[in-house]
C-alpha cells in the first residue's frame, strides 16, 4: 500500500473519502486505498491501472528471488535510481554510446506515461520524440566513444568490455555529481558483464562507484531510469550515425551482417581503407570480409 502511494505521489488528492488512506487521480483513473486493504480503481483507465500492480508483482518476485540478479532490493522498481545502459557495441559502423540517468521515485509515473518503460520496440522516430521530452530536465550523462578513439584503444589492447565498464563508471559519476548532495537509493546497470568482471575492468581507475550498485540483465524493464538511459543513448547514437552516413556519402547499415560487409567494401574502394577508421570498429570480422570483397570487386571492374 505504501509503495502504491509513493508511486502515485505526484497525483495524490488533497481530500480523501471517509475510511480511505489516500486517493489519487491520474488522467484516466481514480485510485482510492482503504484502511481495510482494499484499493479501488475507477474510470476509463481502471483495468489498465490495476493490471500494472498485478504485473509488477510478477516481475518483482522472481527478480528478488534470483541470486543471479545480485539480490536486487525487492522494491527497486519504486526507488530513486540511477540507471545506465549502452548502445552500439554490436554495430560495425558508429560509436559506442553510454548513458546514465537519474529518476526519482516521484517521477517514475511521469516517465512511464511518456512511454519510457519498454524501449526495445520503439521506432527511431519515437526514440527521438521521447528523448526530446526528457533530455532537458532529467539529470543524465551521455558519453560517446567515437570510432577513431575506439580503434586506438582497441589496438592498444583494451577489450570492449573494459571500455564499456569505464564509460558506465564515468557516466554514473557524472550523474552523481549533478544530483549531489542528493544520493540515489540504488544504481542499476544493465548487465553486460558479471559484477566481479565489471569491477575487475575498473581496476586502476581513479574513482570507482560501488555503493549501492546493482546489475541485472533486461534492467530497463525493472526501472525506468535504465529505460531512460537506453533511450537517450539510442538517440545520441542515431544522431552520430546520421553524421557518419553523411561523411560516408551513403546510408550506413546497422548491425554487422552482409550488408555491412558490402558497404564497407564500397567505402574502401571509394574513399580508401583509411576512411573506415573514422566510421567503423575495425577489429570486427567485417573488415576482413570487406577487404576480400573489395579485392574481388576491383578485379571484376578492371
Ligand atoms: Mg544494455
Amino acid at each position: 500500500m505504501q509503495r502504491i502511494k509513493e508511486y502515485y505521489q505526484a497525483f495524490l488528492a488533497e481530500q480523501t473519502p471517509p475510511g480511505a488512506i489516500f486517493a489519487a487521480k491520474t488522467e484516466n483513473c481514480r485510485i482510492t486505498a482503504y484502511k481495510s486493504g482494499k484499493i479501488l480503481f475507477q474510470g476509463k483507465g481502471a483495468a489498465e491501472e490495476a493490471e500494472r500492480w498485478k504485473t509488477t508483482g510478477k516481475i518483482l518476485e522472481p527478480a528478488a528471488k534470483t541470486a543471479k540478479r545480485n539480490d536486487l532490493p525487492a522494491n527497486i522498481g519504486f526507488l530513486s535510481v540511477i540507471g545506465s545502459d549502452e548502445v552500439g557495441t554490436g554495430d560495425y559502423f558508429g560509436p559506442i554510446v553510454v548513458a546514465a540517468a537519474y529518476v526519482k521515485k516521484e517521477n517514475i509515473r511521469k516517465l512511464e506515461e511518456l512511454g519510457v518503460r519498454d524501449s526495445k520496440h520503439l521506432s527511431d522516430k519515437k526514440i527521438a520524440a521521447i528523448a526530446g521530452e526528457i533530455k532537458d530536465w532529467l539529470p543524465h550523462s551521455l558519453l560517446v566513444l567515437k570510432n577513431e578513439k575506439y580503434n586506438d584503444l582497441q589496438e592498444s589492447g583494451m577489450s570492449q568490455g573494459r571500455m564499456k565498464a569505464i564509460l558506465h563508471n564515468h557516466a554514473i559519476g557524472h550523474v552523481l555529481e549533478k544530483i549531489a548532495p542528493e544520493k540515489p537509493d540504488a544504481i542499476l546497470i544493465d548487465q553486460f558483464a558479471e559484477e566481479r568482471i565489471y569491477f575487475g575492468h575498473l581496476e586502476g581507475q581513479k574513482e570507482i562507484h560501488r555503493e549501492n550498485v546493482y546489475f541485472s540483465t533486461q534492467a530497463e524493464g525493472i526501472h525506468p531510469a535504465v529505460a531512460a538511459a537506453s533511450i537517450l543513448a539510442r538517440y545520441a547514437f542515431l544522431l552520430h550515425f546520421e553524421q557518419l552516413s553523411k561523411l560516408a556519402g551513403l546510408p550506413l547499415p546497422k548491425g554487422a551482417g552482409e550488408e555491412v560487409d558490402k558497404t564497407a567494401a564500397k567505402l574502401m574502394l571509394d574513399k580508401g581503407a583509411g576512411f573506415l577508421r573514422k566510421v567503423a570498429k575495425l577489429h570486427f570480422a567485417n573488415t576482413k570480409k570487406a577487404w576480400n570483397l573489395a579485392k574481388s570487386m576491383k578485379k571484376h571492374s578492371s
Side-chain angles (χ1 to χ4, degrees), residues 14 29 32 100 182 191 206 210 215 286:
E14 278 177 27
C29 187
T32 317
E182 191 173 329
Q191 186 160 5
K206 256 195 218 144
R210 295 174 182 272
F215 299 84
N286 302 87

Side-chain angles (χ1 to χ4, degrees), residues 6-296:
E6 277 174 12
Y7 182 80
Y8 292 111
Q9 209 158 29
F11 301 87
L12 291 180
E14 278 177 27
Q15 307 252 336
T16 51
I21 302 174
F22 71 87
K25 195 172 183 312
T26 71
E27 215 175 304
N28 295 320
C29 187
R30 246 176 323 144
I31 302 105
T32 317
Y34 292 92
K35 285 180 191 141
S36 65
K38 192 163 82 177
I39 302 185
L40 207 58
F41 296 88
Q42 294 166 292
K44 213 167 61 182
E48 197 190 328
E49 208 60 51
E51 188 62 28
R52 178 193 302 285
W53 295 102
K54 277 199 216 156
T55 320
T56 305
K58 271 185 212 149
I59 291 170
L60 285 177
E61 212 175 346
K65 277 184 186 159
T66 313
K68 278 242 162 63
R69 294 193 150 185
N70 291 307
D71 301 318
L72 295 182
N75 60 341
I76 192 165
F78 306 95
L79 299 177
S80 298
V81 166
I82 291 179
S84 70
D85 198 8
E86 82 281 331
V87 176
T89 54
D91 296 288
Y92 180 63
F93 293 115
I96 286 184
V97 183
V98 172
Y102 179 51
V103 175
K104 289 162 90 128
K105 57 186 167 197
E106 55 266 38
N107 285 328
I108 290 175
R109 165 85 203 193
K110 183 172 168 184
L111 287 187
E112 286 181 351
E113 280 192 349
L114 288 170
V116 165
R117 191 160 271 263
D118 94 320
S119 79
K120 284 264 148 53
H121 311 288
L122 296 177
S123 65
D124 290 355
K125 211 174 142 194
K126 188 78 186 160
I127 289 282
I130 298 175
E133 295 262 13
I134 62 178
K135 68 177 170 46
D136 294 330
W137 62 270
L138 194 70
H140 70 277
S141 166
L142 261 178
L143 299 176
V144 180
L145 179 58
K146 292 188 178 172
N147 293 91
E148 273 181 307
K149 184 77 194 279
Y150 178 97
N151 291 320
D152 287 346
L153 290 172
Q154 197 279 325
E155 284 158 20
S156 78
M158 191 185 283
S159 69
Q160 201 196 64
R162 177 135 196 255
M163 294 180 213
K164 284 193 275 189
I166 292 172
L167 290 166
H168 275 265
N169 184 57
H170 272 150
I172 289 164
H174 290 158
V175 176
L176 284 168
E177 270 168 36
K178 280 188 189 177
I179 66 172
E182 191 173 329
K183 281 190 171 186
D185 300 322
I187 295 170
L188 181 59
I189 298 175
D190 189 42
Q191 186 160 5
F192 58 89
E194 275 179 42
E195 183 174 7
R196 184 177 55 82
I197 295 180
Y198 174 82
F199 286 115
H201 283 320
L202 293 180
E203 258 170 46
Q205 293 292 300
K206 256 195 218 144
E207 215 178 344
I208 302 174
H209 304 287
R210 295 174 182 272
E211 201 184 334
N212 289 328
V213 170
Y214 299 91
F215 299 84
S216 175
T217 53
Q218 291 158 12
E220 56 177 288
I222 294 173
H223 198 286
V226 182
S230 170
I231 286 173
L232 291 166
R234 267 180 70 184
Y235 181 56
F237 179 81
L238 291 172
L239 293 182
H240 276 85
F241 209 83
E242 256 171 47
Q243 278 179 0
L244 294 181
S245 290
K246 262 186 208 152
L247 193 68
L250 49 80
L252 296 171
K254 302 217 177 75
E258 266 175 48
E259 211 42 52
V260 165
D261 300 338
K262 281 186 217 158
T263 306
K266 191 169 177 342
L267 289 172
M268 281 176 180
L269 294 174
D270 293 353
K271 306 229 171 206
F275 179 76
L276 284 180
R277 196 169 183 80
K278 295 183 202 162
V279 298
K281 301 179 186 80
L282 290 182
H283 68 112
F284 278 35
N286 302 87
T287 304
K288 187 139 192 258
K289 289 184 199 158
W291 184 246
N292 290 333
L293 270 177
K295 271 197 291 191
S296 71

